[in-house]
Amino acid sequence: EEFLFALWEPHLECPDELFVNLVFRKRGSQKMIQKFRKLKTDMRLSTLLWKYDRHHYDQYFSPNIYSRPSRKADKVVMTPLGWCDVDRADPFAFEPKPSVVWQTSPGNTQALWFWDRLHPPSEAQAFSKALAYRHGGDKGGNAPNKLLRLPGSFNHKPKYDAPFIPLVHFDPKPITTRPRPLTGKDGVSVGDIERLDMTPYAHDRPS
């Protein structure tokens, strides 16, 4: 809960009704269990985390926040975050360096960046895409409704023997610099928001 509130705290004073998203997948199953909660100061997530406990379920979270209880990309609101499936790249070789890093499986990490102000989802996606393309992260995992594995949980993919997912770096200081967005000469489009509705492991490396 403390980790998630650290991500979502900038939105707590927003007068609009907002929603956060957790997703669970039972060990050995492909069925995804979507759960939304209204964002509020007295929100309790521990009941969900116990019900779909880390020893029997893969636990995922959406770092971004939604205007409706729907994980459609067009429901994502302004965000202060950047995100990346770092995979086997060195997360500390990224520029700027990430605010949060956790290990999702042996040799693989995911990361978040705490920007010093809010950005529209498409702009935040462009920053995230630039980070992945320039530093060796997963180029397909930058949609604003992207799901990430929850630090402190376990990875139940059969090939890994359920390794613990440790948080290896956390620095809450806001980042004032931004990665330069990709341009046409990079050979990719940065304007389209990818639709990723129900498959948090869509960009996982094949087992």
Side-chain angles (χ1 to χ4, degrees):
E1 281 186 321
E2 290 180 6
F3 170 79
L4 293 171
F5 268 104
L7 308 184
W8 298 333
E9 185 177 19
H11 289 89
L12 283 173
E13 295 184 4
C14 178
D16 299 327
E17 188 174 66
L18 299 174
F19 297 85
V20 299
N21 177 233
L22 294 172
V23 177
F24 306 93
R25 180 179 60 181
K26 192 171 185 178
R27 186 174 58 197
S29 171
Q30 294 299 309
K31 181 180 179 181
M32 309 308 300
I33 302 169
Q34 296 267 349
K35 295 294 179 181
F36 286 88
R37 292 291 183 269
K38 290 182 183 179
L39 180 64
K40 50 187 180 180
T41 55
D42 60 349
M43 178 179 63
R44 300 294 296 173
L45 299 173
S46 55
T47 52
L48 274 181
L49 296 174
W50 279 110
K51 181 176 181 179
Y52 303 101
D53 72 276
R54 61 185 180 174
H55 296 288
H56 297 93
Y57 290 83
D58 287 298
Q59 298 179 330
Y60 303 92
F61 72 100
S62 177
N64 289 322
I65 290 175
Y66 300 83
S67 60
R68 298 287 185 273
S70 166
R71 200 164 60 82
K72 299 285 189 180
D74 61 1
K75 299 298 187 292
V76 175
V77 301
M78 298 274 286
T79 177
L81 300 175
W83 55 91
C84 184
D85 274 325
V86 177
D87 290 337
R88 292 192 171 274
D90 178 3
F92 300 106
F94 281 54
E95 289 295 339
K97 290 179 173 53
S99 305
V100 190
V101 179
W102 60 100
Q103 183 174 296
T104 58
S105 62
N108 292 285
T109 59
Q110 293 179 328
L112 291 171
W113 284 255
F114 293 164
W115 307 131
D116 62 346
R117 60 186 174 86
L118 297 170
H119 292 280
S122 58
E123 188 174 27
Q125 179 181 2
F127 293 143
S128 299
K129 181 175 281 190
L131 288 166
Y133 270 74
R134 291 207 177 92
H135 300 288
D138 180 2
K139 296 178 180 179
N142 42 66
N145 55 351
K146 171 71 175 173
L147 289 180
L148 301 171
R149 287 188 180 271
L150 185 63
S153 64
F154 292 90
N155 186 337
H156 293 291
K157 292 182 75 173
K159 64 183 277 188
Y160 294 132
D161 194 26
F164 179 71
I165 298 175
L167 187 67
V168 299
H169 174 73
F170 188 93
D171 182 357
K173 183 180 179 181
I175 300 171
T176 58
T177 61
R178 303 290 188 274
R180 179 174 52 84
L182 302 176
T183 62
K185 66 183 179 61
D186 295 296
V188 296
S189 170
V190 299
D192 297 331
I193 293 180
E194 178 183 357
R195 303 283 176 177
L196 180 66
D197 297 331
M198 290 298 293
T199 314
Y201 48 94
H203 302 294
D204 279 2
R205 296 305 185 198
S207 298

